Amino acid sequence: MASVSFKYWNDCVDPHDLEAMWADPDVRAEWLNAGETKGSKVHLSRDPDGQPYLTQIEMKAVAGIIVRRHFLSQIDSDMLCAIAELESDRQLLATRYNKKSKEVTMGIMQILPKTADWLVSDLGYRTYELAMDSKLLYKPFLNVYLGAAYLKWLSNYEQKERSEEFMVRAYKGGTKKATHKSTLPFWRSYLSVKETLPSRKIFDVNPLPPSSSASAVPEKKVNTTWDSRTSAEDMEEMWNHPSVSKEWIKSGEKKGHVRLSHDTERRPYLSRVELRAVADVIISKYFSTKQLKPTVMCAVSEIVTMRFIEGIGQRTGLMGIDYPTARWLYKDLGYKSYEVESVEDLTKPFVSMYFGAAYVVWLSEYEGRERNLQFVVQAYLSGPQNVNLQETGPMWLKFEEALSRYEDLKREAAGSCTIL
């Protein structure tokens, strides 16, 4: 085992993560029944060998918190729980040495240090600090966060939407062995374990009933307002947009605190009026010479992420731009009006729209040739090397439908001859 020792939850989680654990009704009940008191240190469970582990209730809560915060509609929390069960038996300090590769996997999700470094440095998963210290991988929230990030990457390996079976088997044996017989037993065990997990409930962030033992505090709602994801300058632009100000005033919003819309699963999204305004602002300020239409960007967002601010499936952010692409546009092509230092930056509407527009502009001139709209849309969805203009697929038809909807909101000025 590792030369790291955790006695209490407080030793291995940040205060706001511990607060989130207390806010989970099942965890709170389990901890209070075990004699724990909110405000005091919470003991970790230990196996007969004295090694700390998470109970199934605690593991379910950690996975649920990570998914709700960072991977909603992208990763199934039960997938994380089942993999943790098989890989480490939920032991915080679990390690495994591979004699063939001479590498060590660490923590609940059995993450390789080099994989963790790659996820942080190349893919931008920086919500939790790794700081070149592999021992931090024993911390449960960091480990599960990176495990989820890796699964998300596997879900779109080589720009193909992958099945749950591919993701799980590739997690165990690597992408080359995702269909090899050596990973089939792991997949079968995974399915069996997944069936036995504690029942999953919709997490309620409303205040819990008072208790004589502890005062319950719900998990803090993070970034639930426009103002928390948008600069003051861009918020001023939104308020100055006639259609947006009309919509916001009608719904009772006030400057300094504009609520985001949420669906029934609490996923934040933009209204079509808001999306159109963001596109208007970005294009008028940064792409006015590129003859790029706001309606095109709106239609792309509609078909790629359905206007969800945090993205959907393997797509990140409002425009579905991944971190490596955004970082390449920023560093190599000089699109630096907005900073992109982590994948979290791409869940800000203006940032995602800016890099989405930059990518569309680059695609419209791919390989030094002026490209038509159908090429650009296909390339945006599946990469420029995979475009086939001989086939009109369902996504192109959906794009045309979405485009007409946004052009109906506000007709473009007559006489434009732009292809975009």
PDB file of all heavy atoms in Angstrom, residues 300-317:
ATOM      1  N   VAL A 300     -25.887  25.421 -35.381  1.00  0.00           N
ATOM      2  CA  VAL A 300     -24.872  24.438 -34.999  1.00  0.00           C
ATOM      3  C   VAL A 300     -25.041  24.051 -33.533  1.00  0.00           C
ATOM      4  O   VAL A 300     -25.035  22.869 -33.166  1.00  0.00           O
ATOM      5  CB  VAL A 300     -23.451  24.974 -35.259  1.00  0.00           C
ATOM      6  CG1 VAL A 300     -22.406  24.054 -34.610  1.00  0.00           C
ATOM      7  CG2 VAL A 300     -23.183  25.089 -36.752  1.00  0.00           C
ATOM      8  N   SER A 301     -25.208  25.052 -32.673  1.00  0.00           N
ATOM      9  CA  SER A 301     -25.404  24.771 -31.248  1.00  0.00           C
ATOM     10  C   SER A 301     -26.646  23.926 -31.018  1.00  0.00           C
ATOM     11  O   SER A 301     -26.663  23.005 -30.198  1.00  0.00           O
ATOM     12  CB  SER A 301     -25.513  26.084 -30.468  1.00  0.00           C
ATOM     13  OG  SER A 301     -25.792  25.837 -29.105  1.00  0.00           O
ATOM     14  N   GLU A 302     -27.686  24.223 -31.771  1.00  0.00           N
ATOM     15  CA  GLU A 302     -28.955  23.503 -31.623  1.00  0.00           C
ATOM     16  C   GLU A 302     -28.782  22.009 -31.896  1.00  0.00           C
ATOM     17  O   GLU A 302     -29.278  21.162 -31.149  1.00  0.00           O
ATOM     18  CB  GLU A 302     -29.986  24.099 -32.570  1.00  0.00           C
ATOM     19  CG  GLU A 302     -31.413  23.681 -32.293  1.00  0.00           C
ATOM     20  CD  GLU A 302     -32.057  24.468 -31.162  1.00  0.00           C
ATOM     21  OE1 GLU A 302     -31.874  25.686 -31.094  1.00  0.00           O
ATOM     22  OE2 GLU A 302     -32.754  23.833 -30.344  1.00  0.00           O
ATOM     23  N   ILE A 303     -28.072  21.675 -32.964  1.00  0.00           N
ATOM     24  CA  ILE A 303     -27.961  20.257 -33.332  1.00  0.00           C
ATOM     25  C   ILE A 303     -26.839  19.546 -32.585  1.00  0.00           C
ATOM     26  O   ILE A 303     -26.885  18.323 -32.411  1.00  0.00           O
ATOM     27  CB  ILE A 303     -27.771  20.076 -34.852  1.00  0.00           C
ATOM     28  CG1 ILE A 303     -26.439  20.661 -35.327  1.00  0.00           C
ATOM     29  CG2 ILE A 303     -28.935  20.680 -35.610  1.00  0.00           C
ATOM     30  CD1 ILE A 303     -26.081  20.301 -36.764  1.00  0.00           C
ATOM     31  N   VAL A 304     -25.839  20.295 -32.117  1.00  0.00           N
ATOM     32  CA  VAL A 304     -24.694  19.667 -31.452  1.00  0.00           C
ATOM     33  C   VAL A 304     -24.957  19.453 -29.972  1.00  0.00           C
ATOM     34  O   VAL A 304     -24.671  18.379 -29.422  1.00  0.00           O
ATOM     35  CB  VAL A 304     -23.421  20.503 -31.656  1.00  0.00           C
ATOM     36  CG1 VAL A 304     -22.276  19.976 -30.797  1.00  0.00           C
ATOM     37  CG2 VAL A 304     -22.997  20.479 -33.116  1.00  0.00           C
ATOM     38  N   THR A 305     -25.496  20.455 -29.286  1.00  0.00           N
ATOM     39  CA  THR A 305     -25.653  20.353 -27.824  1.00  0.00           C
ATOM     40  C   THR A 305     -27.051  20.712 -27.337  1.00  0.00           C
ATOM     41  O   THR A 305     -27.282  20.730 -26.128  1.00  0.00           O
ATOM     42  CB  THR A 305     -24.660  21.274 -27.096  1.00  0.00           C
ATOM     43  OG1 THR A 305     -25.003  22.646 -27.363  1.00  0.00           O
ATOM     44  CG2 THR A 305     -23.232  21.014 -27.532  1.00  0.00           C
ATOM     45  N   MET A 306     -27.974  21.020 -28.255  1.00  0.00           N
ATOM     46  CA  MET A 306     -29.345  21.380 -27.872  1.00  0.00           C
ATOM     47  C   MET A 306     -29.379  22.586 -26.934  1.00  0.00           C
ATOM     48  O   MET A 306     -30.230  22.697 -26.068  1.00  0.00           O
ATOM     49  CB  MET A 306     -30.050  20.178 -27.242  1.00  0.00           C
ATOM     50  CG  MET A 306     -30.181  18.981 -28.156  1.00  0.00           C
ATOM     51  SD  MET A 306     -30.692  17.457 -27.316  1.00  0.00           S
ATOM     52  CE  MET A 306     -32.293  17.943 -26.677  1.00  0.00           C
ATOM     53  N   ARG A 307     -28.372  23.450 -27.079  1.00  0.00           N
ATOM     54  CA  ARG A 307     -28.276  24.705 -26.308  1.00  0.00           C
ATOM     55  C   ARG A 307     -27.909  24.500 -24.834  1.00  0.00           C
ATOM     56  O   ARG A 307     -28.015  25.421 -24.032  1.00  0.00           O
ATOM     57  CB  ARG A 307     -29.566  25.528 -26.405  1.00  0.00           C
ATOM     58  CG  ARG A 307     -29.846  26.065 -27.792  1.00  0.00           C
ATOM     59  CD  ARG A 307     -31.138  26.844 -27.874  1.00  0.00           C
ATOM     60  NE  ARG A 307     -32.295  25.972 -28.022  1.00  0.00           N
ATOM     61  CZ  ARG A 307     -33.295  25.927 -27.175  1.00  0.00           C
ATOM     62  NH1 ARG A 307     -33.309  26.702 -26.102  1.00  0.00           N
ATOM     63  NH2 ARG A 307     -34.306  25.106 -27.384  1.00  0.00           N
ATOM     64  N   PHE A 308     -27.498  23.296 -24.466  1.00  0.00           N
ATOM     65  CA  PHE A 308     -27.075  23.059 -23.087  1.00  0.00           C
ATOM     66  C   PHE A 308     -25.701  23.688 -22.852  1.00  0.00           C
ATOM     67  O   PHE A 308     -24.753  23.454 -23.604  1.00  0.00           O
ATOM     68  CB  PHE A 308     -27.038  21.567 -22.765  1.00  0.00           C
ATOM     69  CG  PHE A 308     -28.398  20.976 -22.555  1.00  0.00           C
ATOM     70  CD1 PHE A 308     -28.918  20.052 -23.455  1.00  0.00           C
ATOM     71  CD2 PHE A 308     -29.171  21.352 -21.468  1.00  0.00           C
ATOM     72  CE1 PHE A 308     -30.172  19.506 -23.266  1.00  0.00           C
ATOM     73  CE2 PHE A 308     -30.436  20.819 -21.270  1.00  0.00           C
ATOM     74  CZ  PHE A 308     -30.946  19.898 -22.173  1.00  0.00           C
ATOM     75  N   ILE A 309     -25.577  24.467 -21.815  1.00  0.00           N
ATOM     76  CA  ILE A 309     -24.370  25.249 -21.551  1.00  0.00           C
ATOM     77  C   ILE A 309     -23.165  24.359 -21.269  1.00  0.00           C
ATOM     78  O   ILE A 309     -22.034  24.694 -21.637  1.00  0.00           O
ATOM     79  CB  ILE A 309     -24.612  26.214 -20.372  1.00  0.00           C
ATOM     80  CG1 ILE A 309     -25.635  27.274 -20.786  1.00  0.00           C
ATOM     81  CG2 ILE A 309     -23.320  26.898 -19.923  1.00  0.00           C
ATOM     82  CD1 ILE A 309     -26.068  28.169 -19.650  1.00  0.00           C
ATOM     83  N   GLU A 310     -23.376  23.232 -20.616  1.00  0.00           N
ATOM     84  CA  GLU A 310     -22.262  22.356 -20.270  1.00  0.00           C
ATOM     85  C   GLU A 310     -22.031  21.278 -21.329  1.00  0.00           C
ATOM     86  O   GLU A 310     -21.165  20.420 -21.158  1.00  0.00           O
ATOM     87  CB  GLU A 310     -22.510  21.730 -18.900  1.00  0.00           C
ATOM     88  CG  GLU A 310     -22.487  22.792 -17.791  1.00  0.00           C
ATOM     89  CD  GLU A 310     -22.824  22.227 -16.428  1.00  0.00           C
ATOM     90  OE1 GLU A 310     -23.298  21.078 -16.368  1.00  0.00           O
ATOM     91  OE2 GLU A 310     -22.631  22.949 -15.438  1.00  0.00           O
ATOM     92  N   GLY A 311     -22.814  21.340 -22.405  1.00  0.00           N
ATOM     93  CA  GLY A 311     -22.667  20.355 -23.463  1.00  0.00           C
ATOM     94  C   GLY A 311     -23.570  19.157 -23.236  1.00  0.00           C
ATOM     95  O   GLY A 311     -24.360  19.116 -22.297  1.00  0.00           O
ATOM     96  N   ILE A 312     -23.421  18.194 -24.114  1.00  0.00           N
ATOM     97  CA  ILE A 312     -24.222  16.980 -24.004  1.00  0.00           C
ATOM     98  C   ILE A 312     -23.431  15.824 -24.601  1.00  0.00           C
ATOM     99  O   ILE A 312     -22.709  16.004 -25.583  1.00  0.00           O
ATOM    100  CB  ILE A 312     -25.579  17.166 -24.724  1.00  0.00           C
ATOM    101  CG1 ILE A 312     -26.555  16.046 -24.350  1.00  0.00           C
ATOM    102  CG2 ILE A 312     -25.408  17.271 -26.218  1.00  0.00           C
ATOM    103  CD1 ILE A 312     -27.983  16.327 -24.783  1.00  0.00           C
ATOM    104  N   GLY A 313     -23.550  14.647 -23.987  1.00  0.00           N
ATOM    105  CA  GLY A 313     -22.762  13.506 -24.457  1.00  0.00           C
ATOM    106  C   GLY A 313     -21.288  13.820 -24.387  1.00  0.00           C
ATOM    107  O   GLY A 313     -20.797  14.357 -23.391  1.00  0.00           O
ATOM    108  N   GLN A 314     -20.571  13.516 -25.453  1.00  0.00           N
ATOM    109  CA  GLN A 314     -19.135  13.763 -25.468  1.00  0.00           C
ATOM    110  C   GLN A 314     -18.790  15.199 -25.827  1.00  0.00           C
ATOM    111  O   GLN A 314     -17.623  15.596 -25.793  1.00  0.00           O
ATOM    112  CB  GLN A 314     -18.431  12.808 -26.442  1.00  0.00           C
ATOM    113  CG  GLN A 314     -18.758  13.041 -27.907  1.00  0.00           C
ATOM    114  CD  GLN A 314     -19.974  12.275 -28.378  1.00  0.00           C
ATOM    115  OE1 GLN A 314     -20.804  11.887 -27.570  1.00  0.00           O
ATOM    116  NE2 GLN A 314     -20.083  12.054 -29.684  1.00  0.00           N
ATOM    117  N   ARG A 315     -19.785  16.008 -26.188  1.00  0.00           N
ATOM    118  CA  ARG A 315     -19.578  17.395 -26.583  1.00  0.00           C
ATOM    119  C   ARG A 315     -19.521  18.312 -25.370  1.00  0.00           C
ATOM    120  O   ARG A 315     -20.385  18.243 -24.501  1.00  0.00           O
ATOM    121  CB  ARG A 315     -20.696  17.852 -27.507  1.00  0.00           C
ATOM    122  CG  ARG A 315     -20.782  17.072 -28.819  1.00  0.00           C
ATOM    123  CD  ARG A 315     -19.708  17.529 -29.780  1.00  0.00           C
ATOM    124  NE  ARG A 315     -19.877  16.948 -31.104  1.00  0.00           N
ATOM    125  CZ  ARG A 315     -19.174  17.300 -32.153  1.00  0.00           C
ATOM    126  NH1 ARG A 315     -18.251  18.234 -32.050  1.00  0.00           N
ATOM    127  NH2 ARG A 315     -19.363  16.732 -33.330  1.00  0.00           N
ATOM    128  N   THR A 316     -18.514  19.191 -25.332  1.00  0.00           N
ATOM    129  CA  THR A 316     -18.323  20.084 -24.196  1.00  0.00           C
ATOM    130  C   THR A 316     -18.824  21.484 -24.526  1.00  0.00           C
ATOM    131  O   THR A 316     -18.518  22.025 -25.587  1.00  0.00           O
ATOM    132  CB  THR A 316     -16.829  20.174 -23.827  1.00  0.00           C
ATOM    133  OG1 THR A 316     -16.357  18.870 -23.484  1.00  0.00           O
ATOM    134  CG2 THR A 316     -16.616  21.115 -22.643  1.00  0.00           C
ATOM    135  N   GLY A 317     -19.579  22.075 -23.611  1.00  0.00           N
ATOM    136  CA  GLY A 317     -19.980  23.462 -23.742  1.00  0.00           C
ATOM    137  C   GLY A 317     -21.068  23.705 -24.770  1.00  0.00           C
ATOM    138  O   GLY A 317     -21.524  22.795 -25.481  1.00  0.00           O
TER     139      GLY A 317
END
